[in-house]
C-alpha cells in the first residue's frame, strides 16, 4: 500500500515504490538469516550504485539540451523579426519553428517536471509575444505621427533584445540577468508611450489606446519569459529547488509529507491505486504460496509492474507484457540452446540484450519486455537453471499476474480522455480558492485550500499520465492538458510567493484596489475552469492586464514606509504573474475552441 501511495509524489517516486514492492516480493520468496542475507544485500546495493554511476555519467551531456537549443533558436528568430520593419503582406514569422518546438515538447515519452513545464510555458509565451509584436507592427503601419511610430519601433527593438537575452541564457544554461537592461529600456519606451495624449490626431489616438493595451501585455509576457528561462533545464531545476527550500515548509509545493497527507482520501487517484496494489499483491503472494508454484514470485511481481492507476495503462501494458514475455522466452531459450553455448558468448548476448532494452523500452514497451525476458533467461543460465524450466515458470507467472491486474480494473473501465478536462478544471478551482484564502488572510481556509490544491494537482498529474498511456489518445487534448497544467502552476506559484510575503508583512490586509483585482482574477479563473469543463471558449470578463497596471501605479503612489513599499512590490510582482498566467490560460482555451470548430 505504501509503495502504491508514492505515485502521489510523481513518476520518479512512483518508480521507487514499484521497485520496493518488487524487491519485497522477490526477497521474501527466499527468506534468509541476517548473516546469510548480507551478501545478496550488498550485491543489490552495488548494482544500484553502478546504475547511479552510469546515470550521473550522462550529466555533462545535458539531457535538456535539445529543448533549450530549440527554444533559444525560436527566441532568436522572433527577436530578429522584431527588429526588422516587416510588411503586413509577409507571412507571420517563426510559424514553422513554433510547430517544430511544439512537436518536440509534447508527446508520450517526453520528460516531465519543473524544467519541462518551464519549456512549455516559454513556448506558449513566445507564441503570445509573436502575436503582440505582429499587432504593434500593424499599428505602426497605420499611424501617421512620426514620434509615435518611432516609439513603437523602440518597443519592438527592446522586446527583440530581451528575447536575445533569453536565448543566450537558454544556450548557456544560466540565469538571464542581462535581460534586466533590456526590460528597463522597454519600460522607458512604455513611459514615452504614456506621454502621448491629445496632441496627436484623433485616428492616431485610437491606435494609441490599442497600442497601450498590447504593449502592457507584451511587457508582462517578456517578464514571464525571463522568469521561466531561469528554471529551464537541469540547472533550472536545481535553482527552483533552492528557491523553494527558502519558503516556509507548509508553502513548499513539493513537500512530500503534505502531498501524501492530502491524498489520504478515497477520492484521490493515488489512494485508490495504493489500495488496489495492496489487495492484489496480497492475493498474488497468498495464491502462489498456496499452490506451491515454482518461482511463484513472478506472479506478484508481474501484478505490481502491470498494475497502473488507470484501466487503459493496465490493459495495454498487461497485454504487451504477456506477448513480449512469451516472445522473449522463446527467442532467448533458442539462442542459449543453439547459438550461445560458451560463457563468453552468453556474456556478449547479455550485453546486447541489455543495450537493446535500455534503448528500445521507451519506444515500445512490448519490445522492451521481450529483451528483458531474454536477459533474465541468460542470467539464470549462469546459475545452471535450465532455460526450459525458466520459460515455463515465467510464462505462468506473467500470465497469472497480468490477468490479476486486469481483473482489478473490470469494475472501473473508464477512459481518461473524458475526465482530464474535469481534473484540470478542479485544479484551477482549487488554486483560485487558495489565492482568495491568501488575500482574505484566513489561516484555516488557507490550510484547507493548500491540502485541496495538492490533492487536485496529484489527481490532475495522474490524469495526464493516464491520458498519455491510452491506446487511441488525442494529441491535441494531450498538448492542451500539458499547457494548462504548466500555466496553472505558474498561477499558484505566484499566489504562494504572495502568501510568503504576507506572512512576514506588518500590514497584511490588501487595499480596495488589490482586493478588487483578486476578485476579478478569481472570476476570470472560474470562467476558464467552466470553459475547460464545457470544451468551449472562455467568456470575456475584466481586462486583468489593465487592472494590474492601474493597481501597480496605485500601490507605488500610496506606499510611504519601507514596509509598505515591500508589500507593494510583492503585490505588483504577484499581480503581474497572475495576470499573465490567466491571460495565457484564456489564450490556450480560445485557440483550442477555434481548432475544434474547424
Amino acid at each position: 500500500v505504501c509503495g502504491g501511495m508514492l505515485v502521489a509524489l510523481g513518476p520518479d517516486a512512483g518508480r521507487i515504490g514499484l521497485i520496493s514492492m518488487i524487491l519485497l516480493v522477490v526477497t521474501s520468496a527466499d527468506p534468509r538469516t541476517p548473516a546469510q542475507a548480507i551478501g545478496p544485500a550488498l550485491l543489490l546495493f552495488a548494482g544500484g550504485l553502478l546504475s547511479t554511476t552510469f546515470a550521473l555519467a550522462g550529466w555533462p551531456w545535458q539531457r535538456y539540451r535539445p529543448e533549450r537549443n530549440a527554444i533559444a533558436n525560436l527566441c532568436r528568430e522572433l527577436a530578429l523579426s522584431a527588429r526588422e520593419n516587416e510588411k503586413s503582406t509577409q507571412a507571420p514569422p517563426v510559424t514553422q519553428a513554433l510547430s517544430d518546438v511544439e512537436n518536440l515538447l509534447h508527446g508520450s515519452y517526453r520528460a516531465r517536471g519543473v524544467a519541462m513545464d518551464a519549456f512549455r510555458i516559454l513556448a506558449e509565451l513566445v507564441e503570445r509575444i509573436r502575436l503582440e509584436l505582429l499587432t504593434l507592427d500593424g499599428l505602426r503601419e497605420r499611424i501617421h505621427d512620426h514620434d509615435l511610430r518611432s516609439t513603437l519601433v523602440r518597443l519592438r527593438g527592446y522586446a527583440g533584445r530581451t528575447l536575445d537575452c533569453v536565448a543566450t541564457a537558454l544556450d548557456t544554461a544560466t540565469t538571464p540577468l542581462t535581460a534586466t537592461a533590456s526590460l528597463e529600456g522597454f519600460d522607458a519606451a512604455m513611459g514615452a508611450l504614456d506621454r502621448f495624449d491629445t496632441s496627436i490626431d484623433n485616428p492616431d489616438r485610437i491606435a494609441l489606446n490599442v497600442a497601450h493595451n498590447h504593449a502592457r501585455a507584451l511587457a508582462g509576457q517578456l517578464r514571464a519569459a525571463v522568469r521561466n528561462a531561469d528554471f529551464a533545464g537541469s540547472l533550472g531545476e536545481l535553482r527552483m529547488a533552492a528557491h523553494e527550500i527558502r519558503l516556509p515548509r507548509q508553502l513548499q509545493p513539493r513537500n512530500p509529507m503534505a502531498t501524501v497527507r492530502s491524498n489520504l482520501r478515497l477520492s484521490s487517484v493515488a489512494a485508490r491505486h495504493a489500495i488496489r496494489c495492496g489487495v492484489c499483491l496480497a492475493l498474488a503472494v497468498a495464491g502462489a504460496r498456496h499452490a506451491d508454484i515454482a518461482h511463484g514470485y513472478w506472479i506478484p511481481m508481474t501484478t505490481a509492474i502491470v498494475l497502473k492507476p488507470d484501466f487503459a495503462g493496465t490493459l495495454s501494458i498487461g497485454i504487451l507484457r504477456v506477448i513480449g514475455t512469451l516472445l522473449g522466452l522463446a527467442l532467448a531459450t533458442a539462442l542459449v540452446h543453439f547459438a550461445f553455448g560458451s560463457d563468453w558468448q552468453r556474456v556478449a548476448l547479455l550485453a546486447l540484450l541489455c543495450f537493446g532494452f535500455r534503448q528500445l523500452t521507451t519506444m515500445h514497451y512490448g519490445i522492451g519486455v521481450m529483451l528483458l525476458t531474454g536477459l533474465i533467461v541468460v542470467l539464470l543460465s549462469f546459475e545452471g537453471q535450465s532455460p526450459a524450466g525458466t520459460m515455463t515458470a515465467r510464462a505462468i507467472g506473467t500470465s497469472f499476474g497480468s490477468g490479476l491486474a486486469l481483473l482489478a480494473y473490470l469494475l472501473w473501465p473508464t477512459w481518461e480522455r473524458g475526465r482530464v478536462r474535469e481534473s484540470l478544471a478542479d485544479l484551477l478551482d482549487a488554486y483560485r480558492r487558495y489565492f482568495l484564502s491568501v488575500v482574505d488572510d484566513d489561516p484555516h481556509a488557507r490550510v484547507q485550500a493548500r491540502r485541496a490544491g495538492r490533492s487536485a494537482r496529484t489527481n490532475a498529474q495522474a490524469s495526464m499520465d493516464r491520458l498519455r498511456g491510452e491506446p487511441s489518445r488525442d494529441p491535441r487534448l494531450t498538448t492542451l492538458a500539458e499547457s494548462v497544467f504548466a500555466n496553472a502552476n505558474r498561477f499558484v506559484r505566484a499566489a504562494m510567493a504572495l502568501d510568503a510575503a504576507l506572512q512576514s508583512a506588518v500590514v497584511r490586509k490588501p487595499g480596495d484596489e488589490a482586493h478588487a483585482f483578486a476578485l476579478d482574477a478569481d472570476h476570470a479563473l472560474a470562467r476558464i475552469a467552466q470553459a475547460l469543463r464545457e470544451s468551449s471558449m472562455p467568456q470575456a470578463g475584466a481586462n486583468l492586464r489593465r487592472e494590474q497596471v492601474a493597481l501597480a501605479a496605485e500601490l507605488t503612489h500610496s506606499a510611504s514606509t519601507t514596509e509598505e513599499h515591500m508589500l507593494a512590490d510583492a503585490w505588483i510582482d504577484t499581480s503581474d504573474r497572475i495576470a499573465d498566467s490567466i491571460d495565457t490560460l484564456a489564450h490556450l482555451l480560445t485557440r483550442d475552441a477555434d481548432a475544434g470548430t474547424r
Side-chain angles (χ1 to χ4, degrees):
V1 174
C2 293
M5 196 66 197
L6 288 181
V7 299
L9 302 180
D12 293 335
R15 281 191 287 271
I16 292 174
L18 173 60
I19 293 171
S20 301
M21 289 188 284
I22 292 173
L23 284 175
L24 178 63
V25 167
V26 173
T27 54
S28 64
D30 184 20
R32 301 186 182 186
T33 64
Q36 295 172 328
I38 188 67
L42 289 175
L43 287 175
L44 289 172
F45 178 77
L49 189 61
L50 183 62
S51 298
T52 303
T53 302
F54 285 146
L56 292 177
W59 182 269
W61 296 348
Q62 301 179 18
R63 60 182 292 206
Y64 294 118
R65 179 179 288 177
E67 291 86 355
R68 288 194 291 105
N69 289 348
I71 298 182
N73 292 334
L74 177 61
C75 289
R76 280 201 185 88
E77 289 184 39
L78 188 58
L80 180 62
S81 71
R83 289 190 291 267
E84 293 177 347
N85 292 328
E86 300 175 339
K87 299 296 183 183
S88 58
T89 55
Q90 293 179 343
V94 303
T95 300
Q96 184 58 48
L98 273 169
S99 299
D100 294 341
V101 166
E102 185 171 309
N103 292 332
L104 178 65
L105 297 180
H106 300 280
S108 300
Y109 301 111
R110 301 302 178 200
R112 299 162 205 167
V114 171
M116 289 303 296
D117 282 349
F119 289 132
R120 289 167 182 145
I121 289 169
L122 279 171
E124 296 294 341
L125 286 170
V126 168
E127 181 173 0
R128 294 183 61 210
I129 289 170
R130 181 182 74 145
L131 295 176
E132 300 298 349
L133 288 173
L134 287 172
T135 302
L136 289 177
D137 196 50
L139 289 170
R140 179 185 58 81
E141 293 184 4
R142 301 203 310 266
I143 288 175
H144 301 89
D145 186 276
H146 179 268
D147 292 337
L148 180 54
R149 293 181 65 179
S150 299
T151 302
L152 294 182
V153 171
R154 285 176 57 201
L155 285 171
R156 285 170 53 87
Y158 281 117
R161 293 184 192 180
T162 305
L163 289 170
D164 276 333
C165 294
V166 170
T168 301
L170 290 171
D171 275 339
T172 57
T174 56
T175 300
L177 296 175
T178 54
T180 303
S182 301
L183 289 174
E184 289 176 354
F186 189 94
D187 291 338
M190 278 287 298
L193 189 67
D194 291 337
R195 287 191 289 273
F196 283 95
D197 52 18
T198 56
S199 61
I200 60 176
D201 294 336
N202 187 58
D204 283 354
R205 191 167 68 245
I206 296 174
L208 173 62
N209 292 333
V210 177
H212 268 121
N213 293 333
H214 288 283
R216 288 165 182 160
L218 179 59
Q221 292 152 17
L222 290 172
R223 283 191 292 269
V226 171
R227 279 193 297 265
N228 282 277
D230 195 24
F231 302 131
S234 301
L235 294 178
E237 289 182 324
L238 297 178
R239 285 192 288 269
M240 173 61 79
H243 170 74
E244 290 180 353
I245 203 67
R246 294 193 294 268
L247 294 173
R249 186 170 181 80
Q250 68 272 20
L251 289 179
Q252 295 174 12
R254 291 181 287 182
N255 183 345
M257 293 305 298
T259 301
V260 171
R261 272 200 310 272
S262 65
N263 281 276
L264 292 176
R265 59 188 75 181
L266 288 178
S267 60
S268 166
V269 172
R272 296 196 297 271
H273 175 65
I275 293 171
R276 278 192 293 264
C277 282
V279 172
C280 289
L281 284 183
L283 292 175
V285 170
R289 293 189 178 182
H290 178 73
D292 196 22
I293 299 175
H295 301 290
Y297 56 83
W298 286 114
I299 297 177
M301 187 176 75
T302 301
T303 301
I305 294 173
V306 172
L307 197 59
K308 302 298 177 187
D310 64 297
F311 174 76
T314 302
L315 177 63
S316 59
I317 289 179
I319 293 174
L320 289 174
R321 188 167 186 84
V322 172
I323 295 174
T325 296
L326 296 178
L327 291 176
L329 287 171
L331 175 64
T333 300
L335 289 174
V336 171
H337 267 305
F338 301 110
F340 293 85
S342 70
D343 287 346
W344 285 111
Q345 287 177 328
R346 281 181 286 166
V347 168
L349 176 61
L350 190 70
L352 180 63
L353 291 172
C354 186
F355 179 80
F357 169 71
R358 297 301 303 171
Q359 284 291 105
L360 300 176
T361 298
T362 55
M363 296 172 58
H364 193 280
Y365 182 75
I367 296 176
V369 170
M370 182 180 72
L371 296 174
L372 177 62
T373 302
L375 190 152
I376 293 173
V377 170
V378 176
L379 277 175
L380 292 177
S381 70
F382 284 105
E383 295 294 319
Q385 296 191 27
S386 168
T390 303
M391 179 177 178
T392 303
R394 182 162 168 80
I396 293 174
T398 300
S399 300
F400 275 103
S402 298
L404 180 60
L406 291 170
L407 184 64
Y409 265 103
L410 287 180
L411 298 178
W412 194 17
T414 53
W415 295 103
E416 199 57 37
R417 68 179 70 98
R419 301 170 56 86
V420 67
R421 289 178 178 271
E422 183 68 30
S423 298
L424 290 169
D426 289 343
L427 177 68
L428 295 179
D429 284 336
Y431 281 177
R432 68 183 181 86
R433 282 192 287 268
Y434 167 67
F435 177 53
L436 275 187
S437 71
V438 171
V439 174
D440 293 338
D441 195 23
D442 186 340
H444 178 72
R446 191 162 60 237
V447 171
Q448 297 299 321
R450 281 197 204 115
R451 291 177 180 173
R454 289 190 175 100
S455 180
R457 183 172 65 246
T458 300
N459 287 338
Q461 181 69 69
S463 180
M464 291 164 54
D465 291 340
R466 294 194 295 270
L467 179 67
R468 296 186 191 100
E470 289 188 348
S472 56
R473 57 184 175 273
D474 181 354
R476 185 167 66 90
L477 180 59
T478 303
T479 300
L480 174 67
E482 290 172 342
S483 299
V484 168
F485 184 77
N487 282 281
N489 286 332
R490 287 177 63 202
F491 174 89
V492 79
R493 288 182 186 280
M496 293 168 70
L498 179 64
D499 192 355
L502 290 178
Q503 288 192 21
S504 58
V506 177
V507 180
R508 299 172 64 170
K509 283 287 186 181
D512 293 338
E513 297 82 4
H515 198 269
F517 173 84
L519 289 177
D520 285 338
D522 175 70
H523 295 158
L525 204 56
R527 288 191 294 270
I528 291 172
Q530 187 63 27
L532 192 57
R533 291 186 174 94
E534 298 173 351
S535 302
S536 62
M537 192 176 297
Q539 297 178 2
N543 188 323
L544 281 182
R545 177 54 62 186
R546 184 184 301 155
E547 291 193 16
Q548 190 275 330
V549 171
L551 173 62
E554 175 63 28
L555 290 174
T556 302
H557 180 265
S558 61
S560 56
T561 65
T562 302
E563 291 79 7
E564 289 177 349
H565 276 293
M566 291 176 61
L567 184 59
D569 289 342
W571 261 105
I572 291 171
D573 178 66
T574 297
S575 61
D576 178 40
R577 296 163 65 181
I578 282 178
D580 192 71
S581 62
I582 291 178
D583 285 347
T584 303
L585 286 168
H587 168 76
L588 289 170
L589 294 187
T590 300
R591 186 181 63 182
D592 179 68
D594 288 340
T597 57
R598 293 183 189 137

